[in-house]
Each structure stands twice: as structure tokens, then as C-alpha cells.
Amino acid sequence: MAITSVGIVGAGQMGNGIAHVFALAGFDVLMTDISQDALAKTVRLVDQNLDRQVSRGKITDEDRKAALGRIRTTPKLTDLGRCDLIIEAATERESVKQAIFDELLPHLRPETILTSNTSSISITRLASRTDRPEKFMGFHFMNPVPVMQLVELIRGIATDDATYQTLLKVVDKLGKTAASAEDFPAFIVNRILMPMINEAVYTLYEGVGNVTSIDESLKLGANHPMGPLELADFIGLDTCLAIMNVLHEGLADTKYRPCPLLTKYVEAGWLGRKTRRGFYDYRGAKPVPTR
């Protein structure tokens, strides 16, 4: 089927980026969130980010205006039922995602494709609780969405080829590159990335290096654009911990055991940039290591 309208559930960091790229690519976007303030903030952020692209010569002002005109918001989840494609981008908790799909199902058209932007949760399991497992996929964008080129496409055990081919075309229209992943815990990117971040936290926990030396070592020694602890703060330490728990529980291998120090930071509410404290303290003029 041809996809022209996209419903996005969740107006957080991922949701606003997804809305941005879809609207810019010519899709009609309808976004919902439990917070009306979050919806208003998303529209402002998309406008600011589009302005930045105009100032850098990547798009025209006409492109910016057209994209903004394609984004609508609603506080009612069920309003998304008429969309061709729905992308769930809510918090990384399976119970929350399942409740969203349960509420949506009675309002969907038979041909509507359901997807989740989950970074680690089983697509097969999420799909099995719906009335359309053959039309359900993982649609995992990287953060920040307007900048990052990759989209992971994850087929559940029941996903049909027509759904997969349709989403391949959508990714192509977005101007991004699709990587196909099997439905195993954390898929490809996070299966490799999160254990690296977790090992960096263990390196800090065991006193092998401090925050600065660990991040500088990976930036200068492995040519990474961000150090692993800086990246963890950018992603959100709660998200990192949630993914490590999925890996640990799903693969039953001790090498995926979350570092106790990562757990401790999350318990303290030091979740990274979004709470202004994590492995760095962001409350001053420049980030300061917390260890």
C-alpha cells in the first residue's frame, strides 16, 4: 500500500525527530502524547530544527513552511486510527507500549501498518498481542533522527513481505538507509553498542579510569565522535539500563549483566542530559565529570 499519512505516538526526543523527517519528506503527520505541553514543545522544536537546516542551506524556507504545515497534534490517541502507518515512540517499557496498541486496535483500518520504535523489546511479542501481527514491524530510528542516516527494520516472526517492502520504500523516501535485523534482543546497533557502554561504566566502577580518561581514550584511540559515557548521557542512562536488562534477561548470558554503578546512577535520578546530571554535570556553563 502507498503510505501518505503517519501517526506518531510520543512527543519526546525521538517522536519530534521522527515527525520532522516524515513531514519534510512529504508525509502528513499526526502526533499524540499524554502531555499537551509536550506536543506544543515538539512543534516548536521541529520549527527550530528546520530553521537550522534553512540557515545551513540544506532546505529552503518553502520546504520549512510546507513541512510545518503537514504536522498536526491531538491529545486523543484514537484519532490516529485513520493513518496509514503508526509509529509508537513512547517510553521504553513494554507494558506502556502494549497499553497503547490495545487502545488503538479498535480504531484502526484493516490495512494500517503498526510499528514500534523500540530499541530492544521483542517485536514478535508486541505483535502477537495485536490483531495484525503480519502488519507489525520494528521501525527503529537513531538519535538524533534528522541527522542519523540509519533505520533498523525488524521483522517479527509473523511479519509478511508486503509490510517489509512497504517500509523499505518509506525509508527510501525519507532519504535514509535501512538495515534489516532479526528479532533478537536489542537487534543490531544496541546489541553491539550497549555492552560497550556498559563495559565503559565497569571500567569507571573498577577504577581503571575516570570519566575524562575513558571518554578521551575512545575518542582519540578509537576515533569515536563521542566517548561512551558522554554518549550514555546523551541516550539516557535509564534507557541504557533498560536495554542491558533486556539483553541480560533475553540472552541469559552474564556478559550482559548491567554494571551496578549504572543502576546506582539511575536510582539517583541522574539520567544524563535530560536531568542535567549523569556521568557529567550539565548544570553549569560546561559539562563537568561527576567521577
Side-chain angles (χ1 to χ4, degrees), residues 29-85:
V29 174
L30 180 60
M31 173 174 276
T32 190
D33 195 278
I34 57 174
S35 166
Q36 192 68 49
D37 288 343
L39 290 172
K41 183 181 178 183
T42 279
V43 175
R44 291 195 302 271
L45 279 172
V46 171
D47 192 10
Q48 291 169 13
N49 290 332
L50 287 168
D51 265 339
R52 190 175 295 115
Q53 287 181 302
V54 172
S55 68
R56 293 174 179 172
K58 295 188 175 181
I59 64 172
T60 66
D61 194 51
E62 288 72 24
D63 293 332
R64 180 190 68 82
K65 290 174 183 175
L68 279 176
R70 295 186 190 106
I71 298 175
R72 294 182 297 123
T73 64
T74 176
K76 290 180 62 179
L77 176 64
T78 55
D79 286 347
L80 273 59
R82 304 304 299 171
C83 295
D84 300 325
L85 168 66

Side-chain angles (χ1 to χ4, degrees), residues 9 11 21 34 53 63 84 98 104 119-120 142 144-145 150 159 164 171 183 215 226 241 251 256 266 270 286:
V9 184
V21 297
I34 57 174
Q53 287 181 302
D63 293 332
D84 300 325
Q98 195 58 66
L104 269 173
S119 52
S120 62
M142 306 297 122
V145 181
L150 184 72
T159 307
Y164 174 68
V171 173
D183 184 25
D215 276 352
M226 296 173 72
L241 179 60
L251 297 172
Y256 298 115
V266 173
W270 291 19
K286 58 181 289 186

Side-chain angles (χ1 to χ4, degrees), residues 44-251:
R44 291 195 302 271
L45 279 172
V46 171
D47 192 10
Q48 291 169 13
N49 290 332
L50 287 168
D51 265 339
R52 190 175 295 115
Q53 287 181 302
V54 172
S55 68
R56 293 174 179 172
K58 295 188 175 181
I59 64 172
T60 66
D61 194 51
E62 288 72 24
D63 293 332
R64 180 190 68 82
K65 290 174 183 175
L68 279 176
R70 295 186 190 106
I71 298 175
R72 294 182 297 123
T73 64
T74 176
K76 290 180 62 179
L77 176 64
T78 55
D79 286 347
L80 273 59
R82 304 304 299 171
C83 295
D84 300 325
L85 168 66
I86 291 177
I87 303 169
E88 171 275 313
T91 188
E92 190 70 355
R93 290 208 303 273
E94 188 167 346
S95 59
V96 172
K97 295 178 186 298
Q98 195 58 66
I100 288 166
F101 291 126
D102 288 346
E103 186 175 345
L104 269 173
L105 287 176
H107 305 276
L108 299 178
R109 295 181 299 143
E111 61 271 27
T112 297
I113 293 174
L114 285 177
T115 68
S116 175
N117 184 57
T118 179
S119 52
S120 62
I121 296 169
S122 168
I123 298 303
T124 297
R125 194 165 60 239
L126 287 173
S128 70
R129 296 270 306 269
T130 75
D131 62 354
R132 62 196 68 208
E134 73 285 353
K135 293 185 180 298
F136 195 111
M137 279 195 70
F139 205 17
H140 182 215
F141 289 83
M142 306 297 122
N143 186 31
V145 181
V147 175
M148 301 297 279
Q149 182 68 19
L150 184 72
V151 181
E152 281 184 315
L153 291 182
I154 306 100
R155 298 172 72 152
I157 197 168
T159 307
D160 64 25
D161 194 58
T163 299
Y164 174 68
Q165 294 297 332
T166 297
L167 290 188
L168 273 178
K169 291 175 184 174
V170 170
V171 173
D172 186 60
K173 188 174 178 182
L174 293 175
K176 295 189 180 293
T177 300
S180 298
E182 293 298 317
D183 184 25
F184 290 100
F187 320 129
I188 294 173
V189 172
N190 283 317
R191 172 74 176 264
I192 297 167
L193 175 64
M194 286 303 159
M196 184 197 76
I197 287 175
N198 194 53
E199 193 61 29
V201 183
Y202 265 115
T203 305
L204 179 65
Y205 176 62
E206 294 170 3
V208 179
N210 59 28
V211 169
T212 300
S213 63
I214 292 167
D215 276 352
E216 287 300 309
S217 293
L218 269 292
K219 283 193 284 189
L220 301 179
N223 205 28
H224 290 190
M226 296 173 72
L229 301 176
E230 182 185 5
L231 180 57
D233 276 357
F234 181 76
I235 294 167
L237 303 192
D238 52 340
T239 300
C240 294
L241 179 60
I243 295 170
M244 287 308 303
N245 281 327
V246 167
L247 281 166
H248 192 219
E249 292 162 14
L251 297 172

